[in-house]
Each structure stands twice: as C-alpha cells, then as structure tokens.
Amino acid sequence: MTFALTDYDPYDFANRRHIGPSPDEMAQMLAVLGVDSLDALIAETVPAGIRQEQALDFGAPLSERDMLHRMRTVARKNKVLTSLIGMGYHATLTPPVILRNILENPAWYTAYTPYQPEISQGRLEALLNFQTMISDLTGLDIANASLLDEATAAAEAMTMAQRGAKSKAAGFFIDQNCHPQTIAVIRTRAEPLGIETIVGDPFRDLDPEAVFAAIFQYPGTYGHVHDFTEVIEKLHAARALGIIAADPLALCLLKSPGEMDADIAIGSTQRFGVPMGFGGPHAAYMACKDAFKRAMPGRLIGVSIDARGNKAYRLSLQTREQHIRREKATSNVCTAQALLAVMASMYGVYYGPDGLKAIAQSIHRKTVRLVRGLEELGFKVEPETFFDTVTVEVGALQGVILNAAVANGVNLRKVGTTRIGISCNEKTYGETVEAVWRAFGGDHLKYRDHDRPYRLPQACLRDTPYMTHPIFHMNRAEAEITRYMRRLADRDLALDRAMIPLGSCTMKLNATVEMLAVTWPEFAEIHPFAPDDQVQGYMELIDDLSAKLCDITGYDALSMQPNSGAQGEYAGLLTIRAFHKARGEGHRNVCLIPTSAHGTNPASAHMVGWEVVAVKSAENGDIDVEDFRAKAEKHAENLAGCMITYPSTHGVFEDTVREVCAITHRHGGQVYIDGANMNAMVGISKPGDIGGDVSHLNLHKTFCIPHGGGGPGMGPIGVKAHLAPYLPGHPHTGGQQGPVSAAPFGSPSILPISWAYILLMGGAGLTQATRVAILNANYIAKRLDGAYEVLFTNAGGRVAHECILDTRALDALAGVTVEDVAKRLIDCGFHAPTMSWPVPGTLMVEPTESEPKAELDRFIDAMLAIRAEADAIASGEMDRENNPLKNAPHTVEDLVGPWDRPYTREQACFPPGAFRVDKYWAPVNRVDNAYGDRNLVCTCPPMESYAEAAE
Ligand SMILES: *Cc1c(COP(=O)(O)O)cnc(C)c1O
C-alpha cells in the first residue's frame, strides 16, 4: 500500500507518540473513505483558496531527550531566588503527596470540565471541598469552584455587584491598598462599561452615595489589616455593596469578611500549595451571600441525587452556565482553574483547619521576629499590626538594600522610591530572615525561635470556627489521603482511560514528556514580579513560542497575557476597540456574530460594551453571506467588527470566509477569528492569511496543555501589525493599554507544555497532526453515516476535524434523547461528545489525531449498538421506558439485588465498546439535574447524608 505523506516520515518516533493511527491503520481508514492518500483527502476537505503556500518549517523535530536538554538549557537561565515580594504571590510547599497524586497525575490533569456528572464524581467532590473550605474561611454562604486569578475575580466581583446592588450610582471604589495589578485589571474592565473607578483611602475618601460598591484588600498590599465593618455598614446604608479581597491563609487567624458583613469576597488560593509559576496558573475564589448566588460568575458545584435517590454531585445552575448566555451575558468565564482548585482543596484536606492555622501562625511569628530585628536596626516599619507583610521606610538606601538582598538570595519589593515591602511565607526560614537583616546592615543579628510574639490587630482576631466538616478532619496518615485521592480519581473518566471525543474542545494527547518541566523549580518557583535578569529563561521560551505561534497563525505579534480562551476574546476585542478609538472611531460598537457562535463570543463582546448583532446560518450550516452583508451594510457607520469561528463551529471549512472578512473590512470593521478550531488549521491554513485581524489560540486545546478537569488554560492572542500597539499592557512590564490578567504573561508555568509539543513535532509533524485529525473525523463520520445523519459537510461530503451526529431521529423513532445516548456511552466506557451544541439534539464528535484506529472503532461500535437499541425500541422489541438507554448509566448497585428489567445484566453492563476486565463503572446512576437546582446545596453535605447514601 502506498500513500503520500508529504515531508513526513511515518516511522519517526516523535510523530508516532502523538499521532494515534499507525501508517497501516491510516491506509485502512483512507480505503474506507475511498481516497488513495491523505493528500487527496485534504484536497477534498480544505478549499484550495485558503491553503497556506509555504510549509511550516521549525527545523527537525527533536527527540524527547534532545527536547528535554533544550528545555533544561532554557530553564537554567531562570534564577530561583527567595521571593518575599508578596503582592498576592507567595512561595508555598506543595505537599509531595499532592504534587505526585494530583498535579503530576494524568487521571486528574487530563479530565474534562465536569459537564457529564456521572463520570466526574471525583473531581466534583474535590471541587465541592474547595467551595466548602472557601465558604468557611470567608464566612460567606456560598463559593464557586474557581475563577482565573485574583485580579480578574475582583473585576468579576465589580460587575456582579453592579447587578446585585440596589444603588444605581455609577461609581466603584477601589481601596488604594489593593494590589496594583488588581486595581489595573478592574480599571480595564470598568472603562468600556462606563463604570467610574475611584481609588483612595476607604476611611477618608469613600463616599457611599457615589458608588454601587467598593472593594478592600485584606490584608492590604502594604500589610495593613483593617476592620471594614463600619465602612461596609455605611455602604449598606447607601444600598451599595462591600467586597473584600482576602488572603485565605490570613483568614485562619483573622476575622472573616462575612463577620464584617461583606457581600462578596474574592482572592487567590495560590499559597495553598500551588507553585507561583511566574504568575500562574492558580485558582482564584469568589464567595458571596446567599442572596447573590444566582448572579455569581463561574462554575458552582452542587449536590443532587441520582436515579436511585443517592447523593450525587453536579454542576449547579448549568442552564445559567452561560451567563455566557448570548443576550444576557454578564461574564465570559468558561475555562477556569479546576486542577489548581483541586490542589488547593487537597491542601486544605491534608492539613485541616489546625494545620492551616499552624502554618499561618508560623508565618506570622517569623514576620514579627523579622520586624523586631529591623526595628533594632533603627528602621521604621509599618504597619504596627500585620499578618505577613510589612513596609519599611529606607529613604535613599532603597537601591542599596534591594541589591544587597538579591546578593543574599532574596527578592524584596520596591515600594515607591523610599520604601521596601516584605512578605513572609511558608518557606521563610530563620536563614531567610537573617539574609534580610544582612541586607539591611544587620550582620550581627541571629534568628531565635523561642518566644511566641504576636502583632495581629486585636479588633480583627478570628474566633469563629472553620472547616469543621469531617472531610477536613481525616486521619493525618499519608495512607489516608493517598487513598482518598486515588478513590476520587477512580470515579472519573479521563483521557488516561478512554478517548474524550468532545467537539470544539480538542481533547488530544498530553504527552508525559511535555508535562515534566512544569514542576521544575526554575519554572515553578518564580515570582511574577521577579527582576528581569532572573527570568531570562522564561523570556526566551515565551519569545520563541510566540514567534512560532505567529508563524502558525499568520499574525505579526502575540500577547501571552490572556489565561483562557474567553479571556483571549475579551483581550482581542479590547485591542480592536483601542485601535478604533485611536483613529477617532471610538463610536464603533456593533459586532456581528453568527448564531452558531460559542457562548463566550457574544459574552466577550458585551464585556467591552458592544452591541451584538446575530447573523443567520444558511441551510448547510455556513454563515449566511447575504444576511452578513446586509447587516454589515446596515451597521456600517458603527461596525466595530465581527467574530467568526474557522473552520465553523459546524465543523466545515467554509469557502466564503474570505468574503465575510472582506465585507467586514470594507465597512470599517475588524475581524476576530475564534481560534478554538486551530487543530484543523495548523500547517494547512493561517487565520491571519484569510482575513483575520485577531485570533486567540486555546493552548489547552490545540497545543497540548491538559484540560485539568476545567482549567488551567492559556488563550494568547495573535494580531496583525496594525493592532500590535493596542495589545494588553501591565503595570509590571509597561505598555499603553491596561492588563486583562493579574500576571503579565497569564499562566506562564504551563507554557513549557506547548513549547515542548512544537519542538517535538516540528513543522511537518504539526501539519501531519492536523491532517490526521481531519482523517480521524472523516473516518468516524463515514462509518457512522446512515446510522446517524452527519450534519453539515462540504460539497464533497467531507467534514473538517469534527462532525455533528444528529440523534433527533432516535427521539422521533423511539423517544431516545441525546442525553440518553450520552449516558449510554458511559456504559460503553466513553465520555460523551459535546451535547446539543451548536445544534440542539446532536452530538459533536472530535476525535483528534491522537486516537488510534482501535479506539475510534470501539467508539463506532458503541454508537452503532446504541442505534440498534433505539431501533429495537422503535420496533417494540424493547420497552419504551424500561430499556438500557433510559436506565443508563448502569452501576454496580443495579446488579446486586433482584433484577426485574426486560433486558439482561449482560446487555446492561457490557454493551459493545465496554471492556470486560477494565470496565469503567459509573459511581452513580443518572443524576437528577432539576432536583439539584431546586435544592441548591453547594457545600459538603453533613455526614448523615453519607450514611443515608450508603444504606
Ligand atoms: C473552548 C472555546 C472557547 C472558550 O475557551 P475557554 O478557554 O474555555 O475560555 C471559545 N470559543 C470556542 C469555539 C471554543 O470551543
């Protein structure tokens, strides 16, 4: 069998690791498709008019060994110093048991967002623990399961407060003691929405009548610990809301935001065992009073029941999930920081409230001793009472001391021109304190650990309990928590067990070798605001990765700041907005978006204050060009741009894309191409070449960063040269525009994954990955065609890298819904494809290039068997209600006790696709969604309910 593989050696090991089908399997698959080569298939699939002319060329692909060598060389250019800079980022000790069993464990990091609750009970429980911990620490009723970072959480809190407050004042007050990046991100968010921000001293400058809400930092960025009770009381009197940005570790010792009657609390859980990573990823939290729960952005885990009435977890208010909803979008948070929230929650489970308190006390005591030494040396230290952070007045000595500290291996914070900030952390030891003293000229001072001094403000001491739930009080033996984490992981179906064919989400291989560098200290233990000469390795990596991504996308400049795809959309639209403004066309505020767009698209447009005009889809699923043209003309005066996805969310390369871009440009708009589907384009077609001005890339889709059960992600944006001056800036690195994320480069510690992937694949390998992704999707479409209608193909009957299977015929025939199909797939050992998006009642299947033929065939067998079951129902052979589809998924519980169903246990549990020995057993039966929303419980249920469930 011969077939052409341009520039590609099929026996090259680098590509065989990543690309699922073997050369022989590919030949068989091509035969099924009736084409004689992959080239021929691509020619039938991708319109000639959008193909890139030059092949990607990044030199020869590196072997694993050579790539790691390259990675080491770059890593060594970062200098790992002890950072006492603070500002929301603190060194922390990741308990090795969490490092290995969560962060380095594919069972956790390769999972998807828990939309299918039956196969996600493990991570849902871990995230519920997170919510419970946060709700307890903050003293508020309800907490969500993570936001992107503290600064964006603060911005989200602002818009949430605007929706929730009775006050209709236009102002938002920001405590001047908030971290500078928090202030900057809030301002970026406020400006397009017409919210007026006022930065000042809450005790002097706050006029409650002028604002709908105010945010305070606790402890403040310079160390002050204030009681905000009275200020919040005044806000409430003016019908405005109070928000507190609180350090959760400090809350182990300090009065909670809830006790100050705050309405919302936000913050970062980074110091709960998650490495700083030069800025991320880590999980931000948000908690609020019960009254505001339905306005809360992000994901909320709740408790419901399954078909047997047993307790089961699920994502609550999922219909609300999408607040990302077109018309009423209030936030665009989609991918958040699930994996990091899980780590932080396990840190809480591991230490329990007493352990956390001991860590907080130890940090505080070290800070007190450090301060005493500085006072002995004659320095004036502020404030008088504090938790872990102080500011020292040093006058003209600032430069000398900062340099001396670095010479002693310690980074301190430069505050203004005459002060120095110091924040102690879990890794501050006696030697660290002595090194600081030496930098201040105290060579003779010796650290002693015998007394127990406290300098916490009396008015703010905490005397309320927290984390009282038994989950935080398990036996402290490592055996216990190891098995707990294993048990939870085993409840879930992640990529390490089966393919996850989720359309638009690109669940491809996250190769082990790509993951290794993430936890190297040279990447993990760097403070985001460390001096430039300590982060040269990071800069080299970011520069090289950016250059390669520009090459791949056809753009001229790239911003690594957005830390999710949706964040990239927001950043990209802000960039377009700033461009229009700079040209005196700031009035442009209409954005054309096809109705089939991902929910984050219109949500992001709303966030920059734009009006969304929906464009219809034609019969064949393409953008209706005439409708697009008519609307562009109608809004020509005010056209800001359009947001399109390519290939379309219907999984087809549209011939008309260049025309759509040209129409937009003709009317003065800019083109945003959503890059979520780049897995169908890399090496074949460039968004920047076909008319795009901006795109985001989901590095957690196309470029191998694992999904982590719902985050982390990275959503860098590429832009054409004319937009480059308007990319996000940052208080730490400069730039004219405001920042969209807390850290200058988003979540940089996961960038080595994408870089490693590109180095291992080379240009030809990346292109081959795209081609095989298209092959795999077309193979599934072809094999299932007939049993299911494949919606939306091009004129030649081909799909791009995903296909939409219509299950509505099964409903008409046999009352079998798309949900039944999805749940029955669990019995077969699969995660369901994307359900009912972009078309209700359908499944969107994206196998990716990483799946071998055997796994594709297993999926196909399962889908064909499901179709046969539906036929059996239609013909009356099977009962319409009591059948394997309606009762799916089946659990071990179903098998014990009497069996009274009109089908066998064998049929129930071992349908085609299911493994006999390695069968995946769902831990719960079908979860009742409505019940969970009616009875919203978002913290760990009391132990009695566990007992009930066990009965
Ligand atoms: C995944 C996706 C997004 C959002 O990306 P996040 O990283 O989840 O924020 C946007 N558009 C499309 C088409 C997507 O598939």
Side-chain angles (χ1 to χ4, degrees):
M1 171 71 60
T2 56
F3 49 99
L5 288 163
T6 324
D7 291 338
Y8 168 69
D9 170 4
Y11 295 97
D12 171 41
F13 192 72
N15 290 311
R16 286 297 295 117
R17 172 198 320 101
H18 184 80
I19 291 177
S22 69
D24 286 346
E25 288 172 350
M26 279 191 241
Q28 292 163 27
M29 292 158 69
L30 289 165
V32 169
L33 292 172
V35 287
D36 30 318
S37 71
L38 201 45
D39 283 338
L41 175 67
I42 300 305
E44 288 180 17
T45 309
V46 187
I50 64 136
R51 298 284 295 269
Q52 70 190 63
E53 278 153 21
Q54 297 235 306
L56 285 181
D57 184 8
F58 300 141
L62 300 186
S63 66
E64 294 195 351
R65 185 166 166 272
D66 289 347
M67 185 280 288
L68 285 174
H69 180 75
R70 177 87 198 271
M71 191 68 81
R72 280 266 178 232
T73 312
V74 168
R76 269 198 282 268
K77 295 182 187 173
N78 290 334
K79 289 188 216 144
V80 186
L81 269 64
T82 298
S83 282
L84 304 183
I85 299 171
M87 301 175 79
Y89 300 93
H90 306 271
T92 172
L93 290 161
T94 309
V97 68
I98 295 175
L99 180 76
R100 176 151 296 179
N101 292 288
I102 304 281
L103 184 57
E104 296 178 345
N105 181 351
W108 286 96
Y109 68 69
T110 68
Y112 182 65
T113 309
Y115 288 128
Q116 297 284 338
E118 296 83 359
I119 54 159
S120 314
Q121 291 296 302
R123 56 193 185 276
L124 285 165
E125 177 163 324
L127 293 171
L128 192 74
N129 293 346
F130 178 83
Q131 292 179 177
T132 306
M133 176 173 84
I134 295 302
S135 162
D136 282 8
L137 285 171
T138 57
L140 287 164
D141 302 317
I142 200 159
N144 73 8
S146 90
L147 291 171
L148 292 166
D149 56 44
E150 176 163 349
T152 57
E156 290 287 345
M158 170 182 70
T159 56
M160 177 179 159
Q162 194 183 30
R163 297 192 296 279
K166 298 222 170 61
S167 164
K168 291 301 156 218
F172 181 70
F173 185 87
I174 310 172
D175 179 356
Q176 63 194 18
N177 281 335
C178 285
H179 298 311
Q181 71 274 12
T182 302
I183 299 176
V185 168
I186 293 177
R187 285 184 148 165
T188 307
R189 182 84 182 265
E191 192 267 329
L193 300 175
I195 297 172
E196 187 198 330
T197 51
I198 305 143
V199 180
D201 177 344
F203 302 100
R204 207 186 53 211
D205 308 325
L206 172 58
D207 171 9
E209 296 294 335
V211 300
F212 61 82
I215 185 167
F216 315 106
Q217 188 99 39
Y218 180 69
T221 193
Y222 307 113
H224 301 82
V225 181
H226 290 303
D227 187 341
F228 297 104
T229 309
E230 282 174 28
V231 190
I232 291 173
E233 204 180 308
K234 284 183 196 149
L235 284 166
H236 286 165
R239 301 193 300 174
L241 302 185
I243 305 164
I244 294 183
D247 171 357
L249 194 58
L251 295 182
C252 296
L253 306 180
L254 299 176
K255 189 165 156 181
S256 70
E259 289 167 88
M260 298 184 195
D261 207 20
D263 302 281
I264 304 171
I266 59 103
S268 166
T269 58
Q270 178 266 317
R271 71 193 311 184
F272 281 26
V274 183
M276 289 184 287
F278 194 36
H282 351 98
Y285 73 81
M286 178 184 273
C288 68
K289 288 183 181 165
D290 190 70
F292 304 111
K293 66 186 176 212
R294 280 169 206 273
M296 189 158 55
R299 297 188 174 122
L300 193 61
I301 313 303
V303 185
S304 187
I305 52 171
D306 73 358
R308 289 183 168 271
N310 286 332
K311 175 182 64 90
Y313 308 112
R314 60 182 281 278
L315 278 176
S316 295
L317 312 177
Q318 248 184 90
T319 40
R320 179 206 70 140
E321 163 104 17
Q322 344 281 350
H323 40 234
I324 338 181
R325 301 208 113 200
R326 302 192 61 95
E327 318 77 46
K328 298 212 178 112
T330 50
S331 156
N332 68 351
V333 176
C334 181
T335 286
Q337 304 284 18
L339 185 69
L340 302 313
V342 169
M343 282 181 76
S345 86
M346 287 300 176
Y347 185 89
V349 170
Y350 181 73
Y351 284 112
D354 296 340
L356 291 184
K357 188 170 180 181
I359 292 168
Q361 285 172 332
S362 152
I363 292 172
H364 176 67
R365 287 201 302 272
K366 280 170 193 147
T367 317
V368 172
R369 290 197 189 96
L370 174 82
V371 166
R372 283 187 173 176
L374 293 174
E375 285 169 348
E376 242 178 270
L377 293 170
F379 288 97
K380 182 167 179 314
V381 181
E382 277 191 4
E384 258 168 44
T385 55
F386 46 80
F387 167 55
D388 66 346
T389 300
V390 291
T391 311
V392 194
E393 182 63 50
V394 294
L397 290 174
Q398 194 196 48
V400 179
I401 295 173
L402 288 174
N403 288 338
V406 169
N408 280 304
V410 180
N411 292 319
L412 303 177
R413 177 180 178 191
K414 180 180 185 305
V415 178
T417 51
T418 62
R419 293 188 297 157
I420 286 176
I422 309 173
S423 290
C424 294
N425 58 58
E426 198 186 348
K427 285 167 82 173
T428 303
Y429 307 109
E431 306 90 86
T432 324
V433 173
E434 289 181 358
V436 174
W437 284 336
R438 278 201 300 283
F440 279 82
D443 295 17
H444 58 288
L445 294 179
K446 285 274 157 290
Y447 184 86
R448 278 165 310 154
D449 208 8
H450 56 78
D451 56 355
R452 293 183 157 244
Y454 282 86
R455 281 214 203 163
L456 293 161
Q458 280 304 317
C460 291
L461 291 184
R462 179 167 195 144
D463 52 15
T464 50
Y466 53 90
M467 294 165 71
T468 52
H469 192 274
I471 198 68
F472 302 113
H473 296 266
M474 62 168 67
N475 186 313
R476 298 281 157 229
E478 184 171 314
E480 280 285 293
I481 189 159
T482 306
R483 290 175 191 141
Y484 179 59
M485 292 188 286
R486 172 63 192 253
R487 273 205 311 278
L488 294 191
D490 279 354
R491 289 179 199 167
D492 290 9
L493 195 72
L495 271 182
D496 61 337
R497 255 202 242 244
M499 111 167 155
I500 302 185
L502 278 161
S504 208
C505 300
T506 315
M507 301 293 289
K508 58 163 69 177
L509 175 78
N510 316 114
T512 312
V513 69
E514 292 157 7
M515 300 298 298
L516 295 182
V518 172
T519 48
W520 292 355
E522 295 92 334
F523 289 121
E525 292 175 18
I526 306 279
H527 192 283
F529 308 138
D532 291 350
D533 66 322
Q534 293 173 24
V535 298
Q536 289 306 303
Y538 257 123
M539 293 334 290
E540 183 175 332
L541 188 157
I542 289 169
D543 285 349
D544 192 63
L545 178 58
S546 301
K548 290 186 161 79
L549 293 175
C550 280
D551 196 353
I552 288 168
T553 53
Y555 288 115
D556 303 307
L558 192 116
S559 168
M560 279 293 179
Q561 200 176 107
N563 45 11
S564 76
Q567 192 81 314
E569 295 170 20
Y570 168 60
L573 297 185
L574 283 175
T575 304
I576 295 176
R577 187 171 174 275
F579 166 78
H580 285 316
K581 249 181 132 172
R583 301 190 343 144
E585 303 198 342
H587 64 278
R588 292 188 173 271
N589 69 344
V590 171
C591 190
L592 302 184
I593 303 182
T595 46
S596 65
H598 195 258
T600 53
N601 289 188
S604 300
H606 279 275
M607 282 168 60
V608 301
W610 285 355
E611 184 193 327
V612 174
V613 171
V615 180
K616 280 189 271 191
S617 293
E619 271 295 289
N620 66 355
D622 290 1
I623 294 175
D624 181 333
V625 180
E626 286 326 306
D627 190 46
F628 191 94
R629 192 191 315 278
K631 286 180 173 146
E633 272 166 22
K634 181 168 169 218
H635 297 283
E637 274 296 289
N638 297 320
L639 191 66
C642 69
M643 292 183 91
I644 58 174
T645 303
Y646 200 76
S648 73
T649 50
H650 290 140
V652 182
F653 288 100
E654 294 160 294
D655 283 318
T656 50
V657 63
R658 279 181 188 278
E659 199 180 344
V660 165
C661 296
I663 294 169
T664 308
H665 287 142
R666 201 175 309 134
H667 296 291
Q670 293 279 295
V671 175
Y672 189 101
I673 300 185
D674 183 323
N677 288 345
M678 268 310 285
N679 212 45
M681 294 181 79
V682 178
I684 290 188
S685 175
K686 306 185 181 191
D689 283 359
I690 60 177
D693 298 294
V694 198
S695 293
H696 75 260
L697 296 171
N698 299 68
L699 299 188
H700 48 301
K701 294 177 182 173
T702 318
F703 294 94
C704 294
I705 291 175
H707 277 249
M714 268 295 279
I717 51 172
V719 297
K720 288 292 204 184
H722 65 281
L723 293 177
Y726 309 103
L727 285 170
H730 193 280
H732 182 68
T733 49
Q736 285 170 17
Q737 309 299 323
V740 295
S741 303
F745 304 100
S747 299
S749 72
I750 50 177
L751 291 177
I753 302 169
S754 298
W755 196 53
Y757 171 61
I758 293 176
L759 294 179
L760 288 165
M761 298 293 278
L766 291 174
T767 309
Q768 181 68 0
T770 308
R771 290 148 48 98
V772 176
I774 292 172
L775 170 65
N776 279 0
N778 276 285
Y779 177 71
I780 287 184
K782 177 82 181 180
R783 291 272 326 267
L784 288 179
D785 193 21
Y788 300 89
E789 189 187 345
V790 177
L791 293 183
F792 313 124
T793 57
N794 69 7
R798 301 295 184 205
V799 296
H801 66 312
E802 58 195 9
C803 62
I804 298 181
L805 303 175
D806 196 345
T807 62
R808 287 172 295 192
L810 276 55
D811 203 353
L813 220 65
V816 171
T817 65
V818 66
E819 177 144 312
D820 297 331
V821 177
K823 302 309 176 192
R824 185 63 171 146
L825 276 170
I826 297 173
D827 286 335
C828 306
F830 283 102
H831 189 297
T834 299
M835 226 171 71
S836 288
W837 187 79
V839 186
T842 65
L843 292 172
M844 180 157 61
V845 183
E846 180 183 0
T848 84
E849 69 279 8
S850 300
E851 295 304 334
K853 179 169 176 290
E855 186 70 351
L856 303 179
D857 287 337
R858 189 168 77 87
F859 177 73
I860 290 163
D861 289 346
M863 289 298 290
L864 292 175
I866 288 172
R867 170 73 215 209
E869 285 176 350
D871 287 339
I873 296 167
S875 70
E877 208 178 303
M878 268 191 191
D879 187 80
R880 265 185 99 84
E881 287 312 318
N882 194 358
N883 62 56
L885 285 158
K886 288 285 171 210
N887 293 332
H890 295 81
T891 61
V892 173
E893 290 284 325
D894 289 332
L895 296 186
V896 295
W899 181 263
D900 56 359
R901 301 196 178 159
Y903 54 94
T904 67
R905 295 175 214 230
E906 172 78 22
Q907 273 173 305
C909 297
F910 292 105
F915 293 118
R916 276 217 93 89
V917 176
D918 306 306
K919 158 90 181 165
Y920 169 75
W921 291 100
V924 294
N925 289 100
R926 199 177 299 191
V927 175
D928 186 333
N929 288 319
Y931 179 91
D933 280 351
R934 275 198 314 275
N935 308 280
L936 200 59
V937 177
C938 300
T939 52
C940 296
M943 276 319 259
E944 310 85 77
S945 65
Y946 287 86
E948 273 164 34
E951 269 162 22

